[in-house]
Amino acid sequence: MRTSESGSDGAVRACVVRLLGVSVAVAALCTVAVAPAAAHDVTGSRFAAPLPLPWLLAGAGATVAVTALWLGVTDADAARLETPPLGTVGPRITGLGRVAGRGLFLVAVLAVLASGFFGRRVATANFATVFTWPVWFRGLAALSVLVGSPWPALSPWRTLYDGLCRLEGGEVALAGDGGAEWTTRLGHWPALLGVVLLVGVVETLTVIPRSPPLTAAVVAGYGLFVLGGAVVVGPIWFDRADPLAVLYRLFGRVAPVRTERTADGGLVVGLRSPWRGCLDPAPDTATVVTVVAAVYTVSFDGFANTRVYQSLAVAARGALGVGPEVRILLYALGLAGFVATFYGTTRLVSSLGGRAGDGETATVSVARAFAPTVLPIAAAYEVAHNYTYVIGSLGRLVAVASDPVLAGRVLDPLGWLPLPAFWGSQVVLIVVGHLIAVVAAHRVAVTRFRTLRAARRGHVPLTLLMIAYTVVSLWIVSRPVVGG
């Protein structure tokens, strides 16, 4: 049901502004719900590291530096690693899987709303809180890192929109062609706003993940924002404004599994190097900032579990005379610092590499080119920081779903995992993620700059940034568990 008239930009803006008001309402809710959030805390004991922590940090940073140096000296072309197709999934099975996935996920989201508003108010025994934050938000992020984004096949908002289109007999876009044109000009800024509010503030800084009714309210508001926007401007809203769609798509760039749709609707499955998807530039500045926000937010989540952060928060509260909402201020200041650091680094890259963008300023063009190369860092930290949270919550979800009244006996799939082994897995994942990022940045530099010498120069600032972040990341994951 696309209107014949294009509609004025003013009318379209008014419709979308109302939808953005949902996000503002969420932000207002956050200011009264801020509290220390330790949803991913797996600590409770400490151990002595097998080697002094400064040695580990120095060794990890040196590993990243040596890898960058080796790439610069040898100009090794690691970007061409890709296997032939491993197999093909027929269109019938692909279609059935898509229908089943969408149907089951829609039922799960409806169960979130029902159990959140009307179920028990105990977070650990309520389907809404056990499913939404660890299994849905974080679990699908980890799955995206492994096999690519599953969100187009699971999104309940797309399912509802497609059903509405079938009822109307055509595509629904109340604002007509003008809505799609205006959304295209708007870019991915609505998705960035959603990522910062939904993942950065609501999940990380508030008590909402521990409250079933508030969790259901957030899911309802998120659905209204995404589905309502699609009804107004058309399906382009899903790609540009859905924060989880954009976030999962970015994580999916790192996936070692590649899938391609066939002409008949089937699916070709193969393998690729995890940096292949990071070689294409970000589509716009909003996506660049979203990438930086993804790296920063998961780091901030880990940093919030350290004594250094707790001391900083207490000091800031005393100095400013405010309450727990100071955590939002600290998060915002840190995010601004990360964005400014990345911007400054790309200015150095542009200056040393000596090549401007096509129709853009050199710094913006370089930022768009190199931003995806830090996605392996975000993906590695996402998995390292959250995999025990996701897997442990799956065991609890089985208990809650099988006995929603008593929450039954909770399974502990990782009960066998010793704390030193968990910490060691975090170290390995983080270092590997940084090495992949170094490879991706090197390949982008070689492709982008005129000479190999210019590429080497341009790669230096990013390498230094990655070395610094390697050390910071390992320090963050080590502080809660490593003694000494």
Side-chain angles (χ1 to χ4, degrees):
M1 187 181 65
R2 181 176 290 275
T3 58
S4 57
E5 298 181 3
S6 63
S8 67
D9 282 356
V12 176
R13 289 190 182 94
C15 292
V16 177
V17 165
R18 292 190 185 98
L19 292 166
L20 292 176
V22 175
S23 298
V24 175
V26 171
L29 176 65
C30 293
T31 62
V32 298
V34 177
H40 320 312
D41 184 19
V42 295
T43 65
S45 61
R46 295 168 69 87
F47 71 96
L51 72 164
L53 189 59
W55 293 12
L56 172 70
L57 301 181
T63 301
V64 175
V66 169
T67 301
L69 179 63
W70 175 75
L71 289 170
V73 171
T74 64
D75 189 30
D77 190 359
R80 297 178 181 174
L81 176 60
E82 187 170 298
T83 68
L86 298 178
T88 302
V89 181
R92 181 180 179 85
I93 297 178
T94 301
L96 290 174
R98 188 181 185 90
V99 170
R102 280 199 171 187
L104 290 174
F105 208 89
L106 178 60
V107 169
V109 171
L110 294 176
V112 165
L113 299 176
S115 61
F117 287 127
F118 306 109
R120 299 183 66 194
R121 299 301 176 93
V122 180
T124 56
N126 190 291
F127 183 86
T129 46
V130 175
F131 173 78
T132 300
W133 307 104
V135 179
W136 175 1
F137 282 29
R138 295 304 186 182
L140 291 188
L143 185 62
S144 299
V145 173
L146 296 176
V147 300
S149 174
W151 196 234
L154 297 179
S155 171
W157 324 128
R158 279 185 178 268
T159 301
L160 294 174
Y161 178 81
D162 289 345
L164 181 60
C165 290
R166 282 192 289 270
L167 288 176
E168 293 291 338
E171 185 178 287
V172 176
L174 299 180
D177 294 333
E181 294 172 1
W182 187 78
T183 304
T184 300
R185 294 198 299 271
L186 188 63
H188 291 85
W189 291 106
L192 170 62
L193 175 64
V195 169
V196 170
L197 283 179
L198 192 62
V199 180
V201 176
V202 172
E203 184 183 15
T204 304
L205 300 176
T206 74
V207 298
I208 291 175
R210 300 199 291 269
S211 168
L214 291 178
T215 294
V218 168
V219 170
Y222 164 47
L224 177 62
F225 173 75
V226 176
L227 180 59
V231 170
V232 172
V233 304
I236 190 176
W237 189 257
F238 292 116
D239 295 325
R240 299 299 183 97
D242 184 347
L244 293 186
V246 172
L247 188 63
Y248 295 158
R249 189 161 63 241
L250 290 174
F251 282 143
R253 285 194 181 216
V254 187
V257 176
R258 61 182 178 90
T259 56
E260 298 177 5
R261 295 295 296 270
T262 60
D264 60 358
L267 205 62
V268 177
V269 181
L271 297 177
R272 66 177 184 180
S273 56
W275 48 82
R276 279 299 294 268
C278 304
L279 305 183
D280 296 326
D284 55 23
T285 302
T287 304
V288 173
V289 181
T290 303
V291 171
V292 177
V295 175
Y296 167 72
T297 297
V298 70
S299 303
F300 184 89
D301 194 13
F303 180 56
N305 288 327
T306 66
R307 293 181 180 178
V308 174
Y309 171 79
Q310 299 300 333
S311 299
L312 179 63
V314 170
R317 289 178 64 177
L320 299 175
V322 296
E325 59 270 16
V326 74
R327 299 172 184 274
I328 296 180
L329 175 62
L330 293 177
Y331 172 85
L333 290 175
L335 177 58
F338 261 61
V339 173
T341 300
F342 185 78
Y343 176 79
T345 302
T346 53
R347 287 202 61 158
L348 284 174
V349 171
S350 176
S351 175
L352 293 174
R355 178 178 175 182
D358 299 326
E360 300 177 288
T361 65
T363 300
V364 171
S365 179
V366 168
R368 289 182 55 197
F370 284 94
T373 68
V374 303
L375 282 172
I377 298 174
Y381 203 127
E382 174 72 28
V383 175
H385 183 55
N386 292 309
Y387 82 87
T388 55
Y389 174 54
V390 173
I391 296 175
S393 297
L394 284 171
R396 182 172 295 279
L397 182 66
V398 172
V400 171
S402 61
D403 190 356
V405 176
L406 300 177
R409 180 182 177 184
V410 178
L411 304 175
D412 188 4
L414 293 178
W416 56 271
L417 183 66
L419 187 58
F422 162 66
W423 174 74
S425 68
Q426 288 186 304
V427 171
V428 171
L429 286 168
I430 288 173
V431 173
V432 169
H434 282 79
L435 294 179
I436 293 172
V438 166
V439 174
H442 171 75
R443 294 313 310 168
V444 170
V446 169
T447 302
R448 180 171 186 79
F449 298 122
R450 293 188 178 95
T451 66
L452 181 58
R453 186 171 183 176
R456 290 169 178 164
R457 291 197 307 266
H459 192 205
V460 168
L462 274 174
T463 300
L464 294 176
L465 180 66
M466 291 175 183
I467 292 172
Y469 193 66
T470 301
V471 174
V472 171
S473 300
L474 292 179
W475 178 84
I476 289 174
V477 302
S478 299
R479 293 311 301 162
V481 296
V482 178

